Amino acid sequence: MNTEFKKILENIEYALNVALPQTASEKDWCPASFGTLPKGASSEYIDKLIEPNKALVSLGGKRWRPLLMMLCYKMAAEKSGHPALKEEQTYSITPLVEFVHTASLIHDDIEDNADLRRGKPAAHITYGLDTALNAGSWLYFEAPVCINRLDTQDSFKLELYKTYTNELRRLHLGQAMDIFWHRNPEVFPPEEEYLAMVKCKTGTLASLAAKLGCLAGGLSAQEAENFGSIAADIGIGFQIIDDVINLTTGNPGKKRGDDIVEGKKSLPVLVHTKLQPEDKKAIAAYMKEAAAAGIDSPAVENCISLLQKSGCIEKAAERGRCLIEASCEQFHSEQIHTLFTSMIPENFR
């Protein structure tokens, strides 16, 4: 790994651990998060909020979103010459990106009825649906506590809050679109709608990372918006590749073809049905059968075999790779280009 990236990631981990401790008993954490609580609200109950989130954060993940945020900060600070935040302060707000990602994974697994996340039982399996749902929701609100802690002008804090909440609303819009499609197997949206969904659902976290980094680095809100849109396109590219991996080797910590079980209208599926519209009924039937019988249903492999015949999986992979590479070039940052090109699996480069 790039030596500079390794150091940045170490600082990010430190910031995440400060913002979300192992237990509520750590000094000064509770007052910043809850204010003055009534005596009966003991740390034992607060730990019910912390534990599911901390467990998922501790399992790792690529952390590329907060890393992107810090690389955008360095790029913006060099470009502006007058960063709005010091580097240490910017590290302290990386939880805005990573905690939203964590909360969204918990909710996504509930909505998709997924069993695994990062190779372990999903939070709702381990802690129960009600506890996981509540803890994930809490983390969305806990994330911006790091803004409260900043020693900076209220006007700048407001800009960070506006950026955070706007992207959070977009994320839920994207999820609403995705849920509608997988609840209705016969619906195959046009590619334009699929790309809009992914830009909101997946791209919004890349956009949030870029915007926060650019604002902290001293760029204007419009400049941050422009870089955020580019980053969102990179997020789309990686989601496309993720969808391709799901239908080939299987995503790390998950089983091959679980998107078929969940009824996901991924880009490979949409490319195939555009080329072979007569297969829509068969794909919808496979998805219904897989949803009813689970990941070991023969319908999963039958559906993948059908998709393979049109070359849609390879076509989707190429579109994802090209989108990532073209968007990276627009940052004019060697570090950001290095980050994302290194994340593309070798067989897709």
Side-chain angles (χ1 to χ4, degrees):
M1 178 186 290
N2 182 303
T3 303
E4 184 176 1
F5 288 1
K6 185 176 180 180
K7 181 61 178 176
I8 293 172
L9 288 169
E10 288 173 357
N11 291 335
I12 288 169
E13 290 303 315
Y14 177 80
L16 296 179
N17 287 327
V18 169
L20 189 66
Q22 199 70 39
T23 66
S25 60
E26 294 195 19
K27 185 180 178 182
D28 298 332
W29 182 82
C30 277
S33 297
F34 297 99
T36 302
L37 288 170
K39 290 183 179 180
S42 67
S43 60
E44 173 189 358
Y45 299 109
I46 299 172
D47 287 345
K48 304 301 181 186
L49 295 172
I50 295 175
E51 188 178 352
N53 293 301
K54 188 67 175 181
L56 185 51
V57 171
S58 299
L59 284 176
K62 300 182 182 71
R63 304 283 197 257
W64 66 263
R65 296 166 186 85
L67 179 53
L68 170 63
M69 177 181 158
M70 292 310 302
L71 294 180
C72 285
Y73 169 78
K74 292 176 182 292
M75 175 196 71
E78 183 177 348
K79 184 175 181 179
S80 71
H82 49 82
L85 296 179
K86 296 177 182 178
E87 186 169 315
E88 183 178 349
Q89 289 178 303
T90 307
Y91 275 114
S92 76
I93 61 172
T94 53
L96 280 170
V97 179
E98 194 62 25
F99 287 177
V100 169
H101 178 52
T102 300
S104 72
L105 294 180
I106 291 175
H107 283 183
D108 200 38
D109 287 342
I110 292 170
E111 290 161 354
D112 293 340
N113 198 28
D115 295 328
L116 297 174
R117 173 62 66 179
R118 293 174 179 165
K120 301 290 184 180
H124 64 280
I125 302 294
T126 301
Y127 300 99
L129 176 61
D130 46 4
T131 296
L133 181 62
N134 189 55
S137 297
W138 168 77
L139 194 59
Y140 282 132
F141 298 102
E142 179 63 23
V145 170
C146 61
I147 298 177
N148 299 346
R149 293 175 177 269
L150 285 175
D151 181 16
T152 189
Q153 294 181 343
D154 286 345
S155 59
F156 186 72
K157 289 183 180 182
L158 178 60
E159 189 64 36
L160 296 180
Y161 270 113
K162 286 168 58 181
T163 302
Y164 172 76
T165 54
N166 183 61
E167 295 292 353
L168 202 57
R169 289 189 291 269
R170 290 166 64 91
L171 184 152
H172 284 78
L173 170 59
Q175 185 72 337
M177 297 170 74
D178 196 25
I179 290 171
F180 176 76
W181 297 333
H182 75 238
R183 284 177 65 89
N184 294 276
E186 294 82 7
V187 175
F188 293 83
E191 287 184 21
E192 182 181 37
E193 290 186 11
Y194 165 83
L195 293 173
M197 180 277 289
V198 179
K199 191 159 190 172
C200 287
K201 179 181 174 179
T202 307
T204 197
L205 293 179
S207 174
L208 177 61
K211 287 180 181 180
L212 292 173
C214 288
L215 290 170
L219 296 187
S220 68
Q222 185 56 58
E223 289 173 306
E225 185 71 29
N226 293 340
F227 281 116
S229 182
I230 297 168
D233 286 340
I234 293 174
I236 294 174
F238 276 111
Q239 182 61 59
I240 292 171
I241 288 179
D242 197 60
D243 293 341
V244 168
I245 292 172
N246 186 276
L247 298 174
T248 52
T249 60
N251 304 103
K254 290 199 168 190
K255 294 183 179 180
R256 164 178 152 117
D258 67 349
D259 280 356
I260 304 299
V261 178
E262 293 168 13
K264 291 292 181 75
K265 305 301 167 50
S266 62
L267 187 62
V269 171
L270 298 180
V271 170
H272 181 89
T273 53
K274 186 175 182 179
L275 294 170
Q276 307 285 346
E278 67 276 12
D279 286 343
K280 288 181 178 180
K281 288 185 178 179
I283 293 172
Y286 283 139
M287 287 182 170
K288 285 181 181 178
E289 185 180 339
I295 190 64
D296 295 322
S297 168
V300 174
E301 291 301 325
N302 290 339
C303 190
I304 292 175
S305 296
L306 178 62
L307 295 172
Q308 288 173 333
K309 292 178 181 179
S310 68
C312 66
I313 296 175
E314 293 78 9
K315 289 181 175 68
E318 179 64 11
R319 285 184 61 178
R321 182 188 65 80
C322 290
L323 185 57
I324 292 167
E325 292 184 348
S327 300
C328 283
E329 294 293 336
Q330 296 182 63
F331 272 101
H332 303 292
S333 165
E334 184 176 340
Q335 289 180 314
I336 292 175
H337 188 272
T338 298
L339 167 64
F340 286 121
T341 52
S342 68
M343 286 172 54
I344 301 174
E346 288 188 13
N347 55 320
F348 294 119
R349 294 179 191 173

